[in-house]
Amino acid sequence: VQLQASGGGLVQAGGSLRLSCAASGLTFTSYAMAWFRQAPGKEREFVAGINRSGVRKYYLDSVKGRFTISRDNAKNTVYLQMDSLKPEDTAVYYCAADLNSGGSRGEYAYRGQGTQVTVSS
């Protein structure tokens, strides 16, 4: 299983970024997908998750209303649209896949390489 995240970068506070995660080596439609992040010196945290069909979505409270997770099952890709970014959103973001999570918080079996998001004040 390979999960390749892209789309990170440097943005000013209030700006937007769209992260993408291309999945291969798995039957994409069988897996719930999620985004996690980890900032320097902090624990890894769940940011957003989506179930296999894309109907159910889950978010960290601090990103609700600002971030949107979506998936394109035809392209084996999951996205994270991040708007109204804040300096506290600065972290390495990476995507994850799991057969059983349903898209909610918890442990995910597969995790890919991350992409750095830096929000300047």
Side-chain angles (χ1 to χ4, degrees):
V1 174
Q2 290 191 329
L3 302 171
Q4 183 63 53
S6 61
L10 173 63
V11 64
Q12 289 188 331
S16 297
L17 283 173
R18 188 193 195 204
L19 305 183
S20 299
C21 174
S24 60
L26 76 170
T27 303
F28 188 70
T29 52
S30 296
Y31 284 77
M33 302 296 295
W35 288 94
F36 289 78
R37 68 185 181 188
Q38 187 165 20
K42 294 188 177 181
E43 296 289 323
R44 175 171 59 96
E45 64 180 354
F46 173 92
V47 176
I50 188 167
N51 74 335
R52 294 176 295 176
S53 67
V55 171
R56 295 180 182 174
K57 303 177 183 181
Y58 305 84
Y59 294 97
L60 179 69
D61 283 348
S62 62
V63 308
K64 284 181 181 177
R66 300 189 297 121
F67 290 11
T68 303
I69 189 170
S70 63
R71 65 189 294 161
D72 185 336
N73 285 345
K75 295 182 178 179
N76 286 10
T77 301
V78 62
Y79 304 98
L80 186 67
Q81 177 66 42
M82 305 186 295
D83 299 318
S84 302
L85 282 161
K86 303 176 181 180
E88 51 264 43
D89 294 318
T90 295
V92 175
Y93 286 71
Y94 50 91
C95 62
D98 193 81
L99 277 172
N100 301 313
S101 73
S104 60
R105 290 169 177 78
E107 292 298 320
Y108 278 66
Y110 301 102
R111 188 175 74 193
Q113 296 289 332
T115 184
Q116 176 70 47
V117 172
T118 303
V119 185
S120 62
S121 56

